[in-house]
Amino acid sequence: MKNQKQAYIYAGIAVLLWSTVATSMKIALQSYSFLQLLFWSSATALLTLSILMLVTKKFGNLAKLPSKAFLRSAFYGAINPFLYYIVLFKAYDLLPAQEAQALNYTWPIMLSLLAVPLLKQKIGLKNLVAIGISFIGVLIIATGGNLINLSFTNGQGVLFGLASAVIWALFWIFNIKDERDELSKLFLNFFFGFIYILIALLLTSEIVFVDIKSFGGAVYVGLFEMGITFVIWSIALKKSITAAKVSNLVYLVPFLSLVVIYFVLEEPIRFPTIVGLFLIVGGLTFDKISFRQLRFKGGKQA
């Protein structure tokens, strides 16, 4: 049933939760390697999704799926959570939280660009201007405001941050034609993705617990970056009269995230980060470059 008031409540909860995960990632990475963090967070997400599948009685639906559906999830799981979060966590490992989350937030720009060759979308002058505005914001963040010399604060970290945005955009483009139930798709993706993550970890390291603070951060990321929040956002979209009524709330995430980063991590918020973030979000809103344009459902989309 459509209920706009409830839609705003669910969307607000999702936005608040997504605003805290950048901080949790940095806390967990204080003691864990990015691969260790991925193992514990994805294990938490898989357990959470398993419980949700059990409660909603959707496990029985998996037996009815054709074999190609499992092959598709095996492929999607290699992209997300495996490849996407390896790249994203590496970005957070190399960069201050404020820079990593801002660069990752360029995924709608990447989506708009990738949709041209992959979805045969048309791109006009207004789109290009909007993308240009956002990319100026990216350069300001990446160079710390030093646009004249183009001296990057951490070139490798910037590449990982932007690569995470590209991978996320690719994942949703591949996912757009998959009409399976959202929760079932997410569960199967994480089921296969966790297998890849476990293999990668055992080949390169070993499973370690470390300390309760970092472990708690990893569990938090698994719950609220990977698992429950996607379901909450999906409910918000379903209850909303139109997706557009709640989608703009997503633009609050990076700004609220800066507040959490400042007070919890005590990371000084740099002026170039604020300017760059305003330009990135300004470019996105200038021409409504969002998932609305491509009629996506669920996940981080607007």
Side-chain angles (χ1 to χ4, degrees):
M1 256 182 102
K2 303 295 183 183
N3 186 317
Q4 197 57 47
K5 184 177 180 180
Q6 289 184 9
Y8 284 132
I9 292 173
Y10 279 105
I13 293 171
V15 166
L16 288 174
L17 290 174
W18 271 326
S19 300
T20 62
V21 292
T23 297
S24 297
M25 289 179 194
K26 289 298 286 187
I27 290 174
L29 286 167
Q30 289 174 0
S31 300
Y32 281 129
S33 68
F34 65 92
L35 196 53
Q36 291 283 350
L37 169 57
L38 181 54
F39 169 78
W40 287 113
S41 57
S42 60
T44 301
L46 182 59
L47 177 60
T48 303
L49 293 171
S50 298
I51 294 172
L52 290 173
M53 289 284 289
L54 189 63
V55 171
T56 55
K57 299 179 180 179
K58 291 185 176 179
F59 269 118
N61 296 338
L62 299 182
K64 302 175 184 177
L65 294 174
S67 58
K68 65 179 181 180
F70 290 92
L71 291 174
R72 188 182 304 144
S73 287
F75 171 67
Y76 290 162
I79 301 174
N80 175 45
F82 183 63
L83 181 60
Y84 171 66
Y85 281 109
I86 283 179
V87 174
L88 179 63
F89 289 168
K90 185 63 177 178
Y92 272 91
D93 194 33
L94 294 170
L95 295 170
Q98 59 189 286
E99 292 184 21
Q101 67 97 24
L103 293 173
N104 176 250
Y105 204 72
T106 61
W107 58 265
I109 307 171
M110 306 304 179
L111 174 65
S112 186
L113 290 172
L114 290 170
V116 176
L118 297 180
L119 295 177
K120 308 303 180 185
Q121 294 279 329
K122 293 182 179 180
I123 189 166
L125 179 60
K126 193 174 181 182
N127 297 93
L128 292 174
V129 171
I131 291 169
I133 292 171
S134 295
F135 269 116
I136 291 173
V138 170
L139 285 175
I140 290 174
I141 293 171
T143 62
N146 189 5
L147 289 177
I148 297 176
N149 295 327
L150 286 180
S151 178
F152 295 103
T153 56
N154 187 317
Q156 187 181 16
V158 170
L159 287 176
F160 275 103
L162 292 176
S164 71
V166 173
I167 294 168
W168 186 260
L170 280 172
F171 172 71
W172 283 108
I173 286 176
F174 292 145
N175 196 45
I176 191 172
K177 296 180 180 179
D178 191 342
E179 297 180 354
R180 290 177 294 168
D181 169 70
E182 291 295 328
L183 180 57
S184 298
K185 284 194 297 184
L186 199 57
F187 169 77
L188 285 175
N189 290 352
F190 270 86
F191 175 79
F192 286 104
F194 181 72
I195 293 174
Y196 306 145
I197 293 163
L198 179 60
I199 293 172
L201 179 62
L202 294 178
L203 287 175
T204 58
S205 180
E206 59 182 0
I207 300 172
V208 295
F209 177 79
V210 202
D211 58 85
I212 191 65
K213 182 180 178 181
S214 294
F215 179 73
V219 169
Y220 191 94
V221 171
L223 283 172
F224 301 121
E225 160 68 10
M226 300 177 176
I228 292 176
T229 316
F230 286 103
V231 179
I232 295 172
W233 182 253
S234 179
I235 293 172
L237 289 176
K238 289 177 181 177
K239 287 185 174 291
S240 183
I241 297 172
T242 64
K245 285 186 174 293
V246 296
S247 63
N248 285 339
L249 291 176
V250 174
Y251 295 125
L252 294 174
V253 171
F255 297 104
L256 291 174
S257 183
L258 289 182
V259 176
V260 180
I261 288 168
Y262 177 77
F263 284 105
V264 179
L265 296 179
E266 298 182 348
E267 184 179 295
I269 305 303
R270 301 169 184 170
F271 183 67
T273 300
I274 297 173
V275 173
L277 197 50
F278 266 107
L279 287 172
I280 290 172
V281 175
L284 297 178
T285 56
F286 174 68
D287 194 32
K288 306 295 184 183
I289 300 174
S290 67
F291 278 113
R292 235 175 337 191
Q293 187 180 8
L294 301 178
R295 300 180 182 180
F296 280 135
K297 298 178 180 179
K300 284 186 181 177
Q301 62 270 39

